[in-house]
Amino acid sequence: MNNYRKGAQVERDAVNKHKANGAILALRSAGSHSPADVIAIYPDKIVIQQYKKGAKPSRADRGAWDRFALQLPLTLRVEHQLVWVPKGKRV
């Protein structure tokens, strides 16, 4: 399985986990065309996640994610998460 498929599977697993945990809506942004890989909307919060599979996120990755998070509205309860999934592990 190539890296794209491995990453997509991690994201699909996360979407399914959010749905099982009561998310009203959970989806993945295919092809890394947005800052977030997975977005889940719960009755009381929104969870926005960027997944990194294999190597730990670099300082640049964390900085870019933090800059993105600063743009989120403070009036919503938004959890932004940079999720590292070690090689060989699942969500």
Side-chain angles (χ1 to χ4, degrees):
M1 188 181 310
N2 67 26
N3 287 339
Y4 175 82
R5 287 184 179 205
K6 288 177 187 176
Q9 186 59 54
V10 166
E11 294 163 7
R12 283 191 292 274
D13 290 346
V15 165
N16 291 333
K17 190 173 184 178
H18 283 296
K19 288 178 180 176
N21 288 333
I24 297 166
L25 174 69
L27 52 94
R28 65 179 284 268
S29 173
S32 296
H33 296 294
S34 74
D37 292 325
V38 173
I39 299 171
I41 300 173
Y42 289 84
D44 62 336
K45 66 182 176 182
I46 299 171
V47 178
I48 301 172
Q49 298 174 315
Q50 172 69 38
Y51 279 84
K52 296 294 180 191
K53 178 90 171 140
K56 283 187 177 181
S58 68
R59 183 174 290 184
D61 289 331
R62 292 189 306 271
W65 185 245
D66 288 342
R67 286 188 297 282
F68 165 72
L70 289 173
Q71 300 174 44
L72 300 173
L74 297 177
T75 54
L76 296 174
R77 180 171 171 222
V78 178
E79 295 180 9
H80 71 286
Q81 302 170 351
L82 177 61
V83 182
W84 170 52
V85 181
K87 188 173 184 176
K89 301 291 181 179
R90 295 191 69 163
V91 175

